[in-house]
Amino acid sequence: MKLSTQLLAATAICAASSAGAVDLEVMHWWTSGGEAAAVSKLAEAWNATGNTWVDGAIAGGGDTARPVMVSRIIGGDPPAAFQFNHGRQAEELIDAGLLLDITDVAEAQGWKDIVNPPSLLESCTVDGKIYCAPINIHSWNWMWLSGPAYEKAGIEMPTDWNSFMESAEALRAAGVTPLAMGGQSWQQAGAFNNVMTIAIAGKDAWLSVMQDKNAETVMGPEYTAAFEAYAAARELSTGINVQDWNQATNALINGEGGAQIMGDWAQGEFAVAGMTAGEDYGCLPGLGMGAYLQTGGDAFYFPVNDDPEITAGQKELAAMLLSPEVQVAFNSVKGSLPVRGDVDLTTVNECTQKGLDLLANGQTLPASEQLIAPDTITQLNDLMTEFWNTPSMTAAEVQQQYADIIAQAE
C-alpha cells in the first residue's frame, strides 16, 4: 500500500526532528548571479522545514564539478545530495551501488503522473528503480539577442539565424561583437551539438546521429550545412574574450555582444540585471528556424549513507524538490521550466512562454546527455572546441573527425 505524500513527509520530518533536524550538504555548480538566486529558493524552502541546507557550490560548471563530486562519493565522504544533468552521467555510480533508491518517494508523490515529459523520470530510472529527483527542464536551444547592442547599431533585432548573419556587419560597424562565446569547451560544443545541428541539419538528422550513432548522416548534406554555419559563427565571435557563460551573457546585457547561443539559464542573468524579455533582450528558440525544445535539465541524486536520520532527510529533500511551491519558486528565477505539468505559470515572461508552447505542442527532443555516453560527449566537446579555437581547421576536417567519433560511440 502506497504512503500518501503527507504521510511520507511527516515520517521524514519526524525522523529528522528526532535528532534536532538534519544538516544536508548539497553539492552543485550553480554559482552565477542568476543561478545563486535560484539556489537560494531551494535553501530557503529546506531551512523552513527546520533542517539546514549546507551549500556545496563548486565554481566552473559541470565539467569542473562532476569529478569533484564523484571523487567525494567513491572516496567515502559523500555529500547528502548532488546535482547532475538528466541522463547517463550517474550510470557507473548506480551500478556500483553508491546511490540511494528513492522509488518509494516517487511512488508516494505520484511522479509518474506529474513529471512531464516522461523522459525526465525515465532518465532517473535504472532497472525499474528511481535514483534521482528531476528539478527542472533546461533547454540548450536558444539564441539570445541584446537590445542595447541592436539599439547601438540602429537596427531591429533579427528574427532568425539568416537575419542575424545579415546584421553582423552593422553590429561590427557599431563596435559590437556579433556573437559572444565563452571559452569553455561545453559552451562551444553545446552550441553546435544542441542548437545549430537541430536548427540547420534538422531534427531527423540530429536523431540519426545522436540516437542512432549514424556516422554516414554526419557526412551528409544536412550536417555539412551545419558545420559550415558553425565555421561562419566562429568568425563572428572575435572581440570578446571571456571564459564563463555568464560573462558572455553579461556582454549582451551591457551591449558589447549582439547575440549568444546558450541555454535558457541565461534568463536568470537577464532577470538579475532587471531586463525585460521582448524589450531589453530577445530570444529565438531553435535560431528561429524550426524550433524544438530539448527536455534535458538537472536532477538531484542522493549517495547511500549509513545514518538513518540522514537517509530520512535525503528522502524528505527529494520530496520537497518536486513540491508545487518549490517548482514554481526555483524555476521562475532559474529561467527553466518546471518538471511538473500541473503548476500555474500564467505570469511567466514571453521567452519562457515560447518554451512552454513548444512543450505543450510536443515539439521536444531529448538532451544529448540522455542519448550519448559521457566519454563520447567529452570527445565531441574537445573536438569542437579545438575547431572553434583553430582558425586554420576547416569545416570539412572537423566534419570527418566528428563522424569518426560517432562511428565509435556507445
Side-chain angles (χ1 to χ4, degrees):
M1 184 175 185
K2 295 182 180 178
L3 290 170
S4 68
T5 302
Q6 292 81 6
L7 180 58
L8 174 68
T11 302
I13 290 171
C14 288
S17 60
S18 66
V22 292
D23 298 348
L24 296 187
E25 181 188 9
V26 184
M27 297 185 75
H28 59 87
W29 57 77
W30 291 324
T31 58
S32 74
E35 290 173 326
V39 171
S40 72
K41 298 299 181 181
L42 301 180
E44 289 168 8
W46 181 243
N47 293 339
T49 67
N51 300 296
T52 302
W53 177 286
V54 179
D55 201 65
I58 301 174
D63 290 346
T64 299
R66 278 188 291 271
V68 176
M69 297 173 183
V70 171
S71 178
R72 284 277 304 273
I73 294 167
I74 64 177
D77 181 30
F82 65 97
Q83 167 207 3
F84 264 20
N85 298 121
H86 302 145
R88 302 177 59 180
Q89 294 173 351
E91 283 181 347
E92 293 182 359
L93 294 174
I94 294 171
D95 289 344
L98 296 173
L99 299 185
L100 182 66
D101 173 4
I102 58 170
T103 305
D104 56 343
V105 179
E107 290 182 346
Q109 284 200 308
W111 287 3
K112 287 185 178 180
D113 297 322
I114 62 175
V115 173
N116 181 47
S119 61
L120 300 178
L121 194 57
E122 291 168 5
S123 293
C124 290
T125 306
V126 176
D127 295 331
K129 297 179 180 178
I130 296 171
Y131 290 91
C132 68
I135 184 69
N136 61 13
I137 301 170
H138 259 320
S139 173
W140 245 106
N141 313 96
W142 298 85
M143 172 177 270
W144 305 99
L145 305 167
S146 167
Y150 278 92
E151 184 176 350
K152 189 184 300 185
I155 58 176
E156 296 292 324
M157 286 189 283
T159 57
D160 60 21
W161 174 256
N162 293 326
S163 55
F164 164 70
M165 293 296 291
E166 293 170 359
S167 74
E169 184 176 350
L171 290 171
R172 286 287 193 195
V176 175
T177 299
L179 186 66
M181 178 68 75
Q184 295 164 324
S185 63
W186 69 267
Q187 299 176 56
Q188 297 161 359
F192 180 79
N193 293 333
N194 300 299
V195 186
M196 301 192 77
T197 46
I198 296 173
I200 295 172
K203 178 193 73 170
D204 292 341
W206 184 84
L207 284 172
S208 175
V209 173
M210 292 294 177
Q211 181 172 272
D212 301 332
K213 317 301 187 292
N214 191 327
E216 291 184 5
T217 302
V218 177
M219 298 305 296
E222 294 87 357
Y223 259 69
T224 296
F227 281 107
E228 290 175 348
Y230 192 66
R234 178 177 62 180
E235 303 304 315
L236 299 182
S237 68
T238 56
I240 293 179
N241 297 308
V242 295
Q243 187 71 6
D244 295 333
W245 69 267
N246 53 300
Q247 293 174 313
T249 306
N250 190 60
L252 272 63
I253 292 170
N254 62 31
E256 294 178 4
Q260 181 187 19
I261 300 174
M262 184 51 59
D264 51 14
W265 47 91
Q267 283 213 89
E269 304 306 300
F270 294 128
V272 168
M275 300 181 80
T276 300
E279 298 177 13
D280 303 311
Y281 69 94
C283 52
L284 298 177
L287 306 181
M289 302 166 62
Y292 286 88
L293 191 75
Q294 280 181 296
T295 53
D298 303 289
F300 280 97
Y301 291 80
F302 308 88
V304 170
N305 193 292
D306 293 333
D307 186 337
E309 292 180 348
I310 296 295
T311 300
Q314 290 172 312
K315 293 188 175 185
E316 182 186 355
L317 177 59
M320 187 203 79
L321 292 172
L322 270 80
S323 67
E325 299 80 8
V326 170
Q327 281 283 297
V328 172
F330 172 78
N331 287 293
S332 294
V333 177
K334 189 69 167 63
S336 48
L337 303 179
V339 298
R340 293 185 67 123
D342 60 351
V343 294
D344 181 13
L345 291 170
T346 55
T347 61
V348 298
N349 67 50
E350 70 172 55
C351 290
T352 301
Q353 187 59 55
K354 289 180 181 180
L356 288 171
D357 290 344
L358 292 171
L359 185 63
N361 293 334
Q363 292 171 259
T364 63
L365 288 169
S368 298
E369 293 84 0
Q370 293 171 285
L371 302 176
I372 297 286
D375 287 347
T376 301
I377 289 176
T378 298
Q379 292 178 58
L380 294 177
N381 286 0
D382 291 346
L383 173 63
M384 297 313 294
T385 199
E386 177 187 1
F387 174 73
W388 189 265
N389 294 289
T390 310
S392 61
M393 192 174 184
T394 68
E397 289 171 338
V398 72
Q399 184 174 11
Q400 182 60 65
Q401 293 182 46
Y402 197 103
D404 293 341
I405 293 172
I406 292 298
Q408 301 299 319
E410 297 180 6

